[in-house]
Amino acid sequence: MRRKKKQLQSVYKVDPWRIIETEFNPQTNFLSETVFSLGNGNVGIRGSFEEGYDGPAGTSMEGTYLNGFFEKVPIHYDETAYGYATHTETMLNLPNGKRIQLQLEDEVFSLFTGTIEKYQRELDLQQGILRRYTRWVSPKGKIVDIEVERMVSFAEEGLVLIRYAVTPINFNGTIQIISMLDGHVHNQTAENDPRIGTSLTGQTLKLEKLEQQDDISKLLQVTTFSKLQVLSCMQHLIEAGQCSDRINRVHGQMLEQRYLFSAKQGERISLTKSVLYLRSDRTPSERLWETADAIFETVNQQGWAHYHLMQRQVLDDFWMHCDVDIAGNQQLQQGLRFNLFHLFQSAGRDGISNIAAKGLTGEGYQGHYFWDSEIYIIPFFIFTQPWIARKLLEYRYSTLDQARRRAQTLFRRKGALYPWRTITGVECSSYYPAGTAQYHINADIVHAIRQYEMATGDWEFIRDYGAEIIFETARIWLYIGAFNNDHTERFCIYTVTGPDEYTALVNNNFYTNAMAKSHLNYAAALAEKMALDDSEAFERIRQKIELSTEEIRQWQAAANAMHLPKDEKKGIHPQDDSFLDKPVWPFDSTPETHYPLLLHYHPLDIYRHQVCKQADVVLALYLLHDQFSREEKKANLDYYEQVTTHDSSLSRCIFSIISAETGDLENAFSHFMETARLDLDNLQGNAHHGIHTASMAGTWLSLVSGFAGMRIGESGIRFSPQIPAALEGYSFRIKYRGNCIKIEVAEKEISMKLLEGDGLTLYYGNQPVHLFPDQPLHLPREEG
Amino acid sequence: MRRKKKQLQSVYKVDPWRIIETEFNPQTNFLSETVFSLGNGNVGIRGSFEEGYDGPAGTSMEGTYLNGFFEKVPIHYDETAYGYATHTETMLNLPNGKRIQLQLEDEVFSLFTGTIEKYQRELDLQQGILRRYTRWVSPKGKIVDIEVERMVSFAEEGLVLIRYAVTPINFNGTIQIISMLDGHVHNQTAENDPRIGTSLTGQTLKLEKLEQQDDISKLLQVTTFSKLQVLSCMQHLIEAGQCSDRINRVHGQMLEQRYLFSAKQGERISLTKSVLYLRSDRTPSERLWETADAIFETVNQQGWAHYHLMQRQVLDDFWMHCDVDIAGNQQLQQGLRFNLFHLFQSAGRDGISNIAAKGLTGEGYQGHYFWDSEIYIIPFFIFTQPWIARKLLEYRYSTLDQARRRAQTLFRRKGALYPWRTITGVECSSYYPAGTAQYHINADIVHAIRQYEMATGDWEFIRDYGAEIIFETARIWLYIGAFNNDHTERFCIYTVTGPDEYTALVNNNFYTNAMAKSHLNYAAALAEKMALDDSEAFERIRQKIELSTEEIRQWQAAANAMHLPKDEKKGIHPQDDSFLDKPVWPFDSTPETHYPLLLHYHPLDIYRHQVCKQADVVLALYLLHDQFSREEKKANLDYYEQVTTHDSSLSRCIFSIISAETGDLENAFSHFMETARLDLDNLQGNAHHGIHTASMAGTWLSLVSGFAGMRIGESGIRFSPQIPAALEGYSFRIKYRGNCIKIEVAEKEISMKLLEGDGLTLYYGNQPVHLFPDQPLHLPREEG
């Protein structure tokens, strides 16, 4: 279903390494807060102004988050049933530590009074710094230059640093810098948008203790239900200027430290504010206070410059392993780097947190982790920062017991069923037709584990974590599937929902069945392999989870008999048993304003039609790429393209990949362009509520798996690069089995260079290529 | 699925016309409150004691209801979607007017102190009176006889009368009768049972005005959201005894009138308390006060005896038209009469109320009206009290505009979709897979209208109300159904839920398709007939609803092409396209304590199996009886009997009917016995929360349509009576086209007698029989 393209009208200046805003505009402020968000996988803060915001309602949302720091909220059902998720977990909006008010004599600085003479804001993707420069003329005529730099430290996981500098241009007088830590916070709610939570209202953080001493303020709060503590602190260091007085104040849970400067015309005043967030689910409750003191002490000693340097080092390493270069399209170049940077900012690295649908930039989807991680985001990390991929997968292991309990509740049997959406591992989906019914989550997680193992060869991970997950999750397929009654000996899976959420509770969803088959095959093969190669580890797991040989035999039998429906006449795989029977959605009579359909039509109305929100069969074609011929892929792509709205941001990148693979580079590029700057240009229309992490990773997949045709399998890694007409060429980097390879695709040739590692064999198309250190290869390019 | 029979252990003494409780037992108190409920279709009060209840928690629930008097409560969804029901309506628990406290000198009467020497309570089904007699010895040794009579007047719709009499047996002294009107009321909630609402907590009735004057107290309250007013009043009349003083008091919304008597040993004290409930949705707000005064004035003039007489007259008429007589089984006799009596108590008669799933006896299902009315209950009234049937159908007409608005919301097109559950006509189902998806409600309502018209010949109703409903509701089938893509020209209906709620969101549910076909055929035929016979009325409707000839043609085309799936090998109709593919529920490994399944298994687990909560295909076999051969009926019955749990109380009666029709009288009788005393013996285990009105009507259907084989069609009415082995015979009465016929079925002969009317032709089996006034017929019985 090809809808009219949206016009790309970017708010930001095009630049290869920076996102630049050259004027302040309340109309785009909400979006900019998301775009200029900073994070380090633990802390995330939205790009709102230090000085607060006095603009129109609905054009701003303050936000400070800790990955996985949540409140537990009971889910209310008007009509409830057995096994429903009982509670949801909501990532909390935490105390705002970035607040700084500026006062010139008796005038308070605001972007909405006086005159803004100069303004620039930029996010530096190489340095991990957000900078803002403003020249402001107050209503009474005082002129100041305000320079602010901000970072969320990649070196110290709880730390936010702000350097706030003011220079009076045409006056002497008292300048006050009023720094605040505002503990009066609550989450947003939206009753009419299913993508935003509705359950948590009002302030849930209760004051436990607060303290102000010298230049430091500390605020200890605890959540009402989940009983997690967060210690928010701020410390101030005057770097330039004459401080004449300091006044500390407390208003409820708002802590204020006011610095008075005797300012002189042309002389810069500068103060560094360190904000620290510590949490009782990482640091033991009784050690929060002293840990904060120790970190602040270090910050005092090391200063801004040290953390700035560390920031640069971490990002140098990051870009070294993942940078992409797009020849001939600076917009795309900027969009892709922006996406990768935000992925890096969003991913949890501690093995007990993950990556939320909106990263740490907003409250949409309540900060929950979805299959987005395994199918869209982890692949990016597997091939660029495998250590992060491993941490994200370890997270799933850390919640395996929750998944076991869920299986016990639902089936009263052994095994593990992962939740559709969660923070701590408990099912938080209150709408089971597009939640619990998406059993494919089990196969998705296993798919990512397998990809990780193939790309890294990290057997230790499989042995210590992966195998247990793979076996426990495999069990579920035998509970929800059954050999058909019609004596055809097919193994069928009834009443499930596949990835496409515009179709629910169907039988033999193709994606689910195909992924389950792959999962069961892998589980059975792994059991066999482990029993031979690592029998001690296998025996340990076997005993722990009471795994019988008969079970493994059943897995193999079910995989062998798995029903994978095919419509021979159309030459395609029906999305499910009844999908092709249903009438096609009346696209012609659906006004453009009625998309996304989910906001304008009842689920039943959507479900009873052939209409897809996102890639479903097409996703299977990609993930299980070696099981389908090019002709099959083309036929399916062509069919599903006609009935897919791409209302989900997880859709276009997959269609782009299969379009590229089947030779329709124009369509591939079109989808790619719609996602590459999805959040930067707010193409989905809701980026102000936070970034779309899966789509961001999807653009990387579109490039690397799409245009460059990267695929991995047991036999190795393969590339089949193509260049869409609109581009001159591109390059990217890949980490594979200890090697880091830079691949440049140009019109006439493809170059490969080893940046790290001892060398490897890879496939260029079907041709094996040996790559050695310091011996770049230049191969003539064979198109298509 | 034949589960072990529950033992019939009745709490109540068997009696043909009374329900008798011979001892007070807290363990059965909760049930007795339901059993001894009184109502008149407008007011309903539970059978709790005047003196209150001090027993263990969870053994009592006070309840006073007005049919359709509701609070509007927003439905909260953790994840919402377009077109979801936004509010539910909850029938409110209203001020308790029956409260009377008895005090003997300084001792307060309680069933939990002192000694109960004698106790009897009985519900008189002929007189419509609840009587209680207690001889109590107080802790200090005072002996009293307490006699209480209670009625909810069939003559005055807001009126409850209580005659409270006390006789001191062994003492002289002060006896106080403290009469109360307690406005502190709220509904029950139960978070863990989907059959009970959860949304309304706390007191929702706000005080508007109260007044105490002489022997009268008045309390005017208003609901918080629906803004309905209820005026609750009490008036007292001393009939015997020396009243020495009267003290009136108010505590918040509790009004108290205390009567002090100088009592003499052996001399009876008697007081009649009239309680009146008036409502602003029936009596204009500004006339509530004066209306109450006028009614109390009449009560004063007429006294208890008058209302007692009226009660008797109304019930004489009721029983004259519907009494059944079971030879040889007093238990059944009692159960059936109990059921019919409660149906009469529950049915709204004003054309703007209906009959709730639990009548006016409890808060289960929030006092909502369901399809139960049209498919189970209205048939009983059609054939016994057609004027009530008409009022119940007029109710649907009164909510037609709501149904139109619902269709507009869901389809953005003309037509009407009735709600699955409602009070005022708006959809109140928050779980659409077993709510909105049950589109068959439209066909159910039309089926009842057609039955009504066939049985009464009331063309005026069709012309003024019915036709408009029939046409508007027919439109929906063209929106949710479509001609199949596979060129077989079948008309298919996708993503619906049939009557069986253990299967949801399926394609081509047999019941839905068959009933839709019947609906469309009827609508098209009616349009044709009206255009010829009553063209003026037809033209009026046609213009009002903008009905085109093309639409009528489409109805006929869809009906002609309606897909009615059949499995030729099994010789049965699959419940839906995929029903027979699914594995059969593992009945053998399901413990008895895990029924009903809905309380013990996740919906997905239930939906993915072949398991039925209730009659679905089998119900179609009954309703559309002339479209199936006896062999087809038998094959389907046998199949579905194996996979049906009868977890719904709507199930067994239908299985009983088809069992009888297909010759399995033993099975028919077994189901019949499980439903005939369902509430009286609490066989479903939840009768304490209220009666099951549909099941009560179902037992009548089992007898009349089942054993007696009554069917009607365009050609007339037919009987094919059989007698199950456990019975000697039975009789019943039927109203048909102005005639009231008594039919007695005995071993050797069947007797028919006209009690009212000019005579008619009916069919005994296939044999036409002419029945004339005063000429009873005696025909030899041909078995089976």
Side-chain angles (χ1 to χ4, degrees), chain B residues 387-413:
Chain B
W387 68 279
I388 292 183
R390 174 164 169 158
K391 287 294 168 192
L392 293 171
L393 292 173
E394 280 178 20
Y395 159 81
R396 289 293 188 183
Y397 186 81
S398 80
T399 66
L400 181 56
D401 275 345
Q402 300 277 26
R404 287 189 176 109
R405 277 193 283 274
R406 182 74 178 146
Q408 193 54 237
T409 300
L410 291 184
F411 307 110
R412 296 188 172 83
R413 287 157 91 175

Side-chain angles (χ1 to χ4, degrees), chain B residues 167-222:
Chain B
T167 311
I169 302 300
N170 66 344
F171 69 99
N172 298 328
T174 304
I175 288 183
Q176 294 185 46
I177 295 180
I178 307 151
S179 173
M180 290 173 267
L181 174 63
D182 185 359
H184 297 127
V185 282
H186 60 84
N187 280 49
Q188 64 166 338
T189 59
E191 280 289 345
N192 57 354
D193 189 333
R195 300 167 297 187
I196 299 171
T198 60
S199 295
L200 191 65
T201 50
Q203 170 132 6
T204 194
L205 284 169
K206 309 295 175 207
L207 178 64
E208 286 215 317
K209 185 174 165 189
L210 56 77
E211 188 182 281
Q212 285 195 311
Q213 207 168 19
D214 302 331
D215 295 298
I216 295 178
S217 291
K218 291 180 190 154
L219 171 66
L220 181 68
Q221 295 166 306
V222 66

Side-chain angles (χ1 to χ4, degrees), chain A residues 78 199 431-432 439 608, chain B residues 78 199 431-432 439 582 608:
Chain A
D78 199 66
S199 296
Y431 179 63
Y432 76 80
Y439 300 97
R608 79 166 59 90
Chain B
D78 199 64
S199 295
Y431 180 63
Y432 76 80
Y439 301 97
K582 294 177 181 171
R608 78 167 60 88

